[in-house]
Amino acid sequence: MTAARTELLSLLRERAARLGDTPLISDETGSTGAQDLVERVDAKTRALRAAGAGPGVLVGTLGGPAAEFVSEVFAILAAGAVAVPLSRRLTPWELARLRERCPLDLLWAPRDSPSALPFPAEDCGARRLTGHRDPARRPPGPGARARRPAFEAAATAQLTSGTTGHPRVALRSAAALLAEVENYRAALALGPDSRLLCPVPLQHAYGFGLCALAAPLAGAHVRCTSPDRPRMLLREIADDGVTLFVGVPPLLRLLARSARSLPRRGRAVGYLSAGMALDAHTAELVATRLTGHVGQVYGTTETGPICVTRPAPWRPDATGPGAPLPGVEVRLSPVPGAPAPDTGPDTGTGAVAATGTGLVTVVSRSAMLGYAERDTVDTAPLRDGFTTGDLARWEEGRLVLTGRLSTCINVAGAKIAPEEIEAVLLAFPEVASCLVSGADDPVLGQRIVATVTPETVDPEKLERFCRERLSPSWVPHVFASVAHLPTTETGKVIRPRTGPPGQPGRPDS
């Protein structure tokens, strides 16, 4: 076992020794104390080793109930295998598709789950471990499963979101996980007095790094819940001593608009936003309607967190997710077809000083080893740092995101960042969610199409609102209001690869 794996497990045992039965993880199924969590980890580690888990062996785990998921992640680490966090809603069809890209050897799931591998391997309480090979035809003991030497340095295999391209599988080492844990703990001052409310799926990079790893290892209590009932979330925030709400911009807007009265004075809850850029209007809603402090996380599945801003009183002049974390270097690389950003000396914060917009390129201790490609690892995307595809600029040492290269709209040769227009659309009081995309045009190359929800939004009023705030070349050519826009589990609107939403064959998979 590597030193980093040993350190992660030692931190968990130290917390259990100090906290005993103090609740560490809770959800609708109940609460689990620190010592109970360690006992579950030990039992599942034995089951994994008996099933042949070891270095290079891919073990999936469905993201709920929360204590089962977290204990399985740590058990997989203890067995020396590779944890593959998966959605608790995973269907058999999705499992079959997943195995084309990420060939699972073992899978933890509830006993009654329809998603399972062909052969039962071990049972552990309410969970069942299944495998793709008949146990009767393999030698017993640890490491008996087919190993993939290329994956032996990996501790996790995490699926990217796939909102702007096909999902890929990012392999990360235990050392990268440990660096992520340390960054979250220090940046957010996590400790036994912290209480996190997490409606974000635990298998997603944001929920996984912060709520499944960093918070439990800091002794912080995490309550996992559903994002579907905003007023219930507001009651939990008010009554449960929550110090940090783990959210995404669409959910923060929904909470703010669902609040019928201002929360009780006396303490300000921290509202953390990640998954997409936090627009100024949503930040203002959190501050004024929820009287909360606002913080941001910027990161990717491939790199782990890049910037983490601790929640603080909202300031209108505060833009972007902040300065890079310690040990994270961020450079702005030239945008293809555009002038290179003017680069100056290192600022000492991990940022390389520059003026103008560039592509975010990251070198970090928490970065992945590479992408899994069947039984090999593709390391090419890491040469000279990982380029995220995000566009950004520097403002006084703070990183300010301006869009994504892959979503830019080309209007008569001008590159238009849809995210900048979406920030204006979201400031219109009636808009709940939106998507700005490009549609082919024989004269301009592309037209700007703005689609918003709900369907009751008046397109003419919205166009006037935009014309008052955007320069003429940025005003959408087409406005449409619809009842629903497709989203991921975290509430991020899924972008079409080309053309506006609703066209056959356009939406991303």
Side-chain angles (χ1 to χ4, degrees):
M1 186 182 298
T2 66
R5 283 184 192 253
T6 301
E7 178 68 12
L8 288 167
L9 294 162
S10 295
L11 285 172
L12 183 64
R13 295 187 186 282
E14 287 173 13
R15 288 301 173 192
R18 293 182 184 180
L19 297 174
D21 294 330
T22 302
L24 204 58
I25 298 169
S26 59
D27 59 12
E28 73 279 2
T29 65
S31 295
T32 301
Q35 188 58 48
D36 184 10
L37 184 68
V38 168
E39 291 171 2
R40 294 189 192 201
V41 170
D42 289 341
K44 291 178 178 181
T45 302
R46 291 191 293 270
L48 284 166
R49 287 175 174 158
V57 173
L58 298 175
V59 185
T61 171
L62 300 192
E68 300 288 3
F69 175 79
V70 173
S71 63
E72 284 159 11
V73 168
F74 279 100
I76 295 165
L77 292 175
V82 185
V84 186
L86 300 170
S87 171
R88 66 189 304 173
R89 300 174 181 174
L90 187 76
T91 66
W93 182 84
E94 290 170 329
L95 176 60
R97 278 199 73 194
L98 168 69
R99 294 194 63 222
E100 294 174 5
R101 303 189 305 274
C102 183
L104 294 178
D105 299 294
L106 295 164
L107 176 66
W108 280 112
R111 286 175 178 267
D112 58 354
S113 173
S115 296
L117 296 179
F119 298 101
E122 299 286 335
D123 287 342
C124 196
R127 306 283 276 191
R128 172 163 291 177
L129 186 65
T130 56
H132 76 96
R133 291 189 176 185
D134 186 347
R137 297 187 177 184
R138 65 170 175 83
R145 296 270 163 188
R147 294 190 180 189
R148 298 173 182 84
F151 293 178
E152 290 188 358
T156 60
Q158 295 169 257
L159 275 69
T160 63
S161 65
T163 54
T164 56
H166 285 298
R168 300 191 73 181
V169 180
L171 297 169
R172 299 177 69 208
S173 68
L177 301 182
L178 185 59
E180 179 171 8
V181 165
E182 292 172 347
N183 277 331
Y184 271 129
R185 181 194 57 77
L188 298 174
L190 298 175
D193 293 332
S194 305
R195 292 180 65 85
L196 283 68
L197 184 61
C198 177
V200 174
L202 289 180
Q203 80 274 6
H204 283 264
Y206 174 36
F208 184 78
L210 175 55
C211 297
L213 293 180
L217 292 179
H221 179 197
V222 178
R223 174 160 180 79
C224 298
T225 187
S226 168
D228 299 332
R229 295 192 289 175
R231 291 203 175 95
M232 181 69 74
L233 289 174
L234 289 169
R235 283 197 291 271
E236 290 197 57
I237 292 169
D239 300 336
D240 204 26
V242 171
T243 61
L244 185 65
F245 181 85
V246 181
V248 293
L251 182 54
L252 295 179
R253 288 193 293 274
L254 185 60
L255 279 182
R257 289 168 176 165
S258 300
R260 294 176 175 174
S261 60
L262 292 176
R264 294 196 305 267
R265 297 289 181 180
R267 67 181 180 90
V269 174
Y271 290 84
L272 200 61
S273 177
M276 62 199 80
L278 178 64
D279 59 282
H281 180 62
T282 300
E284 183 180 8
L285 285 175
V286 170
T288 57
R289 298 290 300 275
L290 301 175
T291 64
H293 290 176
V294 181
Q296 294 188 59
V297 174
Y298 168 54
T300 69
T301 306
E302 292 89 345
T303 63
I306 298 167
C307 307
V308 178
T309 305
R310 188 180 303 179
W314 174 69
R315 300 193 337 265
D317 61 335
T319 56
L325 288 161
V328 179
E329 178 190 337
V330 176
R331 303 190 305 271
L332 297 186
S333 304
V335 177
D342 296 327
T343 303
D346 194 302
T347 64
T349 63
V352 177
T355 59
T357 298
L359 276 167
V360 176
T361 301
V362 179
V363 177
S364 173
R365 295 179 302 152
S366 60
M368 67 175 181
L369 300 168
Y371 289 118
E373 295 290 348
R374 295 299 298 175
D375 292 345
T376 64
V377 182
D378 177 12
T379 61
L382 294 172
R383 291 173 191 156
D384 300 320
F386 179 77
T387 299
T388 66
D390 295 314
L391 299 170
R393 64 178 182 271
W394 292 113
E395 289 186 3
E396 299 180 349
R398 296 174 62 89
L399 193 67
V400 178
L401 302 174
T402 60
R404 283 188 64 82
L405 180 64
S406 62
T407 61
C408 279
I409 303 167
N410 191 336
V411 181
K415 298 294 191 296
I416 306 294
E419 292 84 355
E420 302 258 19
I421 302 173
E422 288 167 355
V424 173
L425 296 173
L426 290 170
F428 190 71
E430 297 173 22
V431 170
S433 65
C434 65
L435 177 67
V436 173
S437 56
D440 292 341
D441 184 274
V443 177
L444 298 174
Q446 286 185 301
R447 290 174 296 132
I448 305 171
V449 179
T451 308
V452 302
T453 68
E455 57 192 348
T456 53
V457 176
D458 186 330
E460 292 184 2
K461 289 182 180 179
L462 183 59
E463 181 176 357
R464 288 197 296 271
F465 183 84
C466 289
R467 289 192 181 280
E468 292 170 359
R469 291 161 175 80
L470 293 168
S471 59
S473 61
W474 286 64
V475 175
H477 302 89
V478 178
F479 289 84
S481 54
V482 298
H484 173 74
L485 283 169
T487 64
T488 66
E489 281 187 277
T490 58
K492 184 188 296 187
V493 174
I494 298 174
R495 291 189 180 278
R497 292 187 202 159
T498 56
Q503 288 189 2
R506 296 293 193 183
D508 190 14
S509 58

